[in-house]
Amino acid sequence: MGPDQPEVPRHGTEHIPGLRRRTFLETCAGAGLAAAAAACDPAPSAHDHPPAAASHRPEAERDRAGTPDWRIRSRGPATAVVGYADRVSVAPGEECGLYVSTTASSFRVSAFRVGWYGGAEARLVWSSGRVPGRVQAEPHVVPGTRTVRTDWKRTLAFGTAGWPEGAYLLRLDAEGGHQRYVPLVVRSTRGTGRTVLMHAPATWQAYNRWGGYSLYEGPSGAYAARSLAVSFDRPYDSSGAEKFLVYERAAVVLAERLGIPLAYTTGMDVHRDPGVLHGARAVICLGHDEYWTPEQRRHVTQARDAGTNVAFLGANTCFRRVRLEQGEARPDRTVVCYKSSFRADPCYSTHPALVTTDFRQSPGADPESSMTGVLYEGYPTDAPYVVHAADHWLYEGTGVRPADGFGHLVGVEYDRVTPGAPVPEPLEITAHSPLVCNGRRSTSDSAYYTVPSGAGVFATGTMRWVEALMARTPDGGHDHGMDARTRAFVTRTTENLLHAFALGPAARHRPAPRPNVKEVYKGSA
């Protein structure tokens, strides 16, 4: 979108705003909203977590018997049962609190760990007894930032001793049959020698419309009425875990099926403490990971420069710069992002590098392409994914030839290698897909580069990559017309990527990138 245009409200799983091409140092014209009271340079928040207890490694879970009945069967009315956890992640053995509101007289909680499990794709790890239900208070809206928060009383607490590290869905089952999820990550404390799956709760929360407000719109649907900060002290909308289910779950299942050593974390944990990345073979950013703090970006870049491979399985990654601030009772429970109202950000005049707007924009412009190799360009689009370097090692075993296409795989947002944008070298475009976005012809690119540490970095350039892993399956309700052939291609390519990256710095055991940007773009500036 232009610098003075409101963003298009987002709806469903593809409610992503339009974005017209712009220069990287462009400054948005702010809306002049009153600044909220916020600390721009707070002391780093301390981990308030006890020492981690020993836990099972994720790879030990691969072939255990699963629990097929993990999916929600009936959501019911919006008030039937909803809840949230007091943490986005826990260390193994740590206690977690749940805050639940339900119109039912009672409910139960079941903790399902997502994984392969012989194709069941989840395993029941813990379940509660019957818990008395009650309707909690209506949420309140914090003036200035229009942040929705609840004042709910804690409903129950549970420990996680013996829970394997991984991604969990806590399912709330109300008496009468209605259900909702609460997502939770049991994070790894060490990633040495492992592939780290990095989940994106800050992005989940940015899109969350529970209580009427998200970072995109207010109750009327108007961009101008959006929140400038959103809180984890509220439930998620929809099923309670929509963004995880659409953009992350299938990649977790695939990685666990391969049996490679895995570790689990979130972008918010990497923001606070990069320890899980030390000595990691790879870090995998999943299908929609838009909202990053500068600290998270710095820590991932440092890991890359120390030899950790990095993969971006979506598009629009690391596009928004955010801050994490105090919640009602815990640190880092609020995601702050002023976007086009950045002049109202309390950090604007004092700490420009922390101003919460797009990374590529002033003040503090730092285009994401210097890390990802590609630059986010637009929404919405729907186009075939067109293979360019068919002989690249990523595509081994797929049977593709140059110019082979896979319908609908590029969308709804896309990235491209943009001549003139800062990118690491050597960089090779592996797929170059013509498209039309908002009436304008452009392209989406998949790209691979390496750095002196030997680390390889791959970006798919499309947000539908993880969705394609579910195309034409019972879970592929948002497959956008992608077919089984596309699923097979994306699955094999992702397997090649994960197997290679799990071996350590890719430059040491895979062919080097063949620089081809000038050839592909024929000298475009």
Side-chain angles (χ1 to χ4, degrees), residues 413-465:
E413 295 187 290
Y414 68 95
D415 300 335
R416 67 186 286 251
V417 175
T418 305
V423 295
E425 293 285 357
L427 180 143
E428 180 177 5
I429 293 173
T430 67
H432 186 61
S433 308
L435 56 84
V436 176
C437 182
N438 292 317
R440 178 181 172 275
R441 295 186 179 278
S442 188
T443 53
S444 168
D445 294 316
S446 291
Y448 174 69
Y449 74 84
T450 57
V451 294
S453 69
V457 179
F458 175 67
T460 69
T462 172
M463 191 173 285
R464 289 182 180 162
W465 192 266

Side-chain angles (χ1 to χ4, degrees), residues 285-308:
C285 304
L286 301 167
H288 191 186
D289 197 353
E290 179 178 353
Y291 288 78
W292 289 44
T293 67
E295 294 87 348
Q296 178 188 355
R297 177 173 173 175
R298 182 170 66 252
H299 293 157
V300 171
T301 301
Q302 288 171 345
R304 177 200 68 181
D305 293 345
T308 298

Side-chain angles (χ1 to χ4, degrees), residues 268-416:
M268 296 174 66
D269 291 303
V270 170
H271 156 86
R272 290 189 295 257
D273 180 3
V276 72
L277 302 183
H278 293 167
R281 298 287 177 86
V283 57
I284 310 299
C285 304
L286 301 167
H288 191 186
D289 197 353
E290 179 178 353
Y291 288 78
W292 289 44
T293 67
E295 294 87 348
Q296 178 188 355
R297 177 173 173 175
R298 182 170 66 252
H299 293 157
V300 171
T301 301
Q302 288 171 345
R304 177 200 68 181
D305 293 345
T308 298
N309 302 307
V310 185
F312 302 101
L313 299 187
N316 192 217
T317 302
C318 195
F319 182 62
R320 308 283 192 189
R321 180 193 292 115
V322 301
R323 284 195 310 279
L324 302 179
E325 294 184 351
Q326 180 75 24
E328 292 183 354
R330 294 186 180 277
D332 298 343
R333 293 289 288 176
T334 303
V335 179
V336 180
C337 194
Y338 279 68
K339 298 186 182 179
S340 57
S341 300
F342 66 92
R343 288 190 177 89
D345 189 321
C347 291
Y348 179 70
S349 60
T350 57
H351 293 80
L354 296 180
V355 170
T356 54
T357 187
D358 304 345
F359 269 104
R360 67 184 65 176
Q361 293 181 335
S362 297
D366 185 12
E368 69 271 19
S369 55
S370 64
M371 178 183 68
T372 63
V374 291
L375 201 72
Y376 172 60
E377 185 169 270
Y379 153 92
T381 195
D382 181 286
Y385 180 94
V386 180
V387 174
H388 181 74
D391 60 344
H392 197 278
W393 61 263
L394 281 161
Y395 303 136
E396 287 178 0
T398 64
V400 295
R401 298 178 180 180
D404 276 357
F406 296 87
H408 310 289
L409 180 53
V410 175
V412 61
E413 295 187 290
Y414 68 95
D415 300 335
R416 67 186 286 251

Side-chain angles (χ1 to χ4, degrees), residues 388-389 425 427-430 514-521:
H388 181 74
E425 293 285 357
L427 180 143
E428 180 177 5
I429 293 173
T430 67
R514 300 162 294 189
N516 62 355
V517 175
K518 289 184 179 179
E519 168 206 332
V520 171
Y521 280 97

